[in-house]
Amino acid sequence: MDRYCVMGNPVEHSKSPWIHARFAELTGQRLEYGRQLVPLDGFAEGVRAFRAAGGKGCNVTVPFKFEAARLAEFASQRVRLAGACNTLRFEADGIHGENTDGIGLVADLQRNAGVSLGGRDLLLLGAGGAAAGGLGPPLEARPRRIVGASRTLDKAQALVQSHAMLANDTYADLQPSALHAVRGRFDVVINATASSMAGAAVPVEASVLKPGALACDLMYGPAAEGFLLWAREHGATGRDGLGMVVEQAAEAFQFWRGVRPPSAQVLAELRRELAK
Ligand code: NAP
């Protein structure tokens, strides 16, 4: 049976084994998918050992996404743009890398939440790994404007600068901002900071929300509840990051197996499973 895994540190929280097992069942693919806890200084060795033992590919989670981008011998354009990689596929000619985080986010917002990003005003909070992977695909959806805001202005400026050519190609107005200095109102607000994970307050004023805006936190579970409440209290529709988790996994599954799994069904099943 073909073997895959998710590598990270920590990794025990990952829902990927559950999701990929269900994808395999529903598409009739024969594969095994496990978790690999990798020492902080042992990512490249972990990948080498898994590949040598017959592994076909892996997902990569914190804190190894940047290292994975450097390890990929054939990096997709999305990986090169983000400088981060969450999916590796082992081929005879070398290691192929893809970043499915941003495509998964856009799939969840557009397909599952039913909010088209084309022509809209977006606010992306954060400038870490999730924001780096999560800026390119929303730009490809041709919004009118994206403001990338971080508590460290330099980091927002660097992220925006690295995507300037794509913004130019898609005619989007892409601007950096410090979190406290965000001006204007937005149709879609994406919290890609670690604020919810840290139990901190929503890092931006509610005045950024247009009435009826979609406010999405990339976190899910109890840690996202404060953000979802904030969205509801200010007239927005709140969404957590579980849909992105399932959709980025579906993109990875397709990258490995060439088969598109029924992600909306698996998302509904996972929500029921987590509610038990
Ligand atoms: P990261 O690389 O560590 O980046 C964290 C970012 O959050 C940085 O920009 C940091 O700013 C900022 N930040 C941290 N605490 C903050 C606070 N209290 N207020 C404002 N900004 C704060 O982490 P990451 O990998 O990007 O992950 C970010 C979040 O996305 C996490 O909650 C993670 O669980 C989630 N995520 C979800 C998915 C999914 O599929 N749903 C995928 C990836 C990540 P500084 O640089 O100034 O410190």
Side-chain angles (χ1 to χ4, degrees):
M1 237 197 246
D2 289 346
R3 291 176 62 215
Y4 300 86
C5 72
V6 53
M7 290 193 185
N9 187 338
V11 79
E12 59 281 0
H13 63 284
S14 174
K15 299 284 175 265
S16 294
W18 190 96
I19 294 167
H20 283 284
R22 198 65 193 114
F23 284 168
E25 237 174 308
L26 290 168
T27 57
Q29 295 280 306
R30 281 173 51 77
L31 59 88
E32 251 176 43
Y33 188 111
R35 287 187 184 86
Q36 292 246 344
L37 178 67
V38 175
L40 291 175
D41 60 354
F43 176 68
E45 174 52 25
V47 170
R48 196 204 58 74
F50 185 64
R51 191 179 179 199
K56 296 286 183 198
C58 64
N59 281 131
V60 180
T61 186
V62 281
F64 301 122
K65 291 184 186 182
F66 297 106
E67 210 177 330
R70 294 193 293 273
L71 201 65
E73 293 153 295
F74 301 91
S76 72
Q77 200 201 340
R78 290 194 176 105
V79 169
R80 292 198 300 273
L81 196 57
C85 171
N86 75 336
T87 309
L88 297 175
R89 186 178 68 213
F90 310 141
E91 299 274 356
D93 62 354
I95 300 178
H96 294 239
E98 182 52 285
N99 190 320
T100 67
D101 278 338
I103 345 172
L105 171 64
V106 170
D108 184 54
L109 299 181
Q110 298 206 131
R111 277 210 297 270
N112 300 334
V115 173
S116 164
L117 303 183
R120 300 296 184 91
D121 293 342
L122 272 62
L123 175 61
L124 177 67
L125 307 175
L135 181 52
L139 276 171
E140 289 166 19
R142 295 182 175 267
R144 189 173 74 135
R145 175 165 77 117
I146 301 188
V147 173
S150 169
R151 64 181 173 186
T152 320
L153 178 60
D154 291 3
K155 292 185 185 175
Q157 283 169 332
L159 183 60
V160 161
Q161 188 52 43
S162 63
H163 288 70
M165 204 181 291
L166 178 59
N168 193 47
D169 290 348
T170 58
Y171 305 103
D173 175 16
L174 176 62
Q175 298 294 336
S177 174
L179 279 174
H180 63 83
V182 174
R183 298 281 171 269
R185 283 142 71 88
F186 297 84
D187 302 292
V188 178
V189 175
I190 299 163
N191 186 18
T193 77
S195 63
S196 293
M197 194 157 65
V202 177
V204 76
E205 296 295 326
S207 57
V208 299
L209 296 166
K210 280 188 191 173
L214 178 71
C216 178
D217 196 314
L218 301 195
M219 199 68 205
Y220 63 88
E225 278 167 17
F227 181 91
L228 297 177
L229 180 65
W230 172 84
R232 268 200 308 279
E233 283 178 350
H234 296 96
T237 301
R239 188 161 185 86
D240 68 9
L242 196 64
M244 174 178 168
V245 171
V246 173
E247 294 295 347
Q248 64 76 24
E251 295 292 339
F253 193 87
Q254 186 160 11
F255 181 65
W256 292 324
R257 312 297 297 182
V259 176
R260 175 89 208 166
S263 47
Q265 176 186 339
V266 172
L267 173 58
E269 290 177 1
L270 183 56
R271 282 206 191 281
R272 282 198 295 276
E273 188 70 19
L274 293 178
K276 279 180 188 168

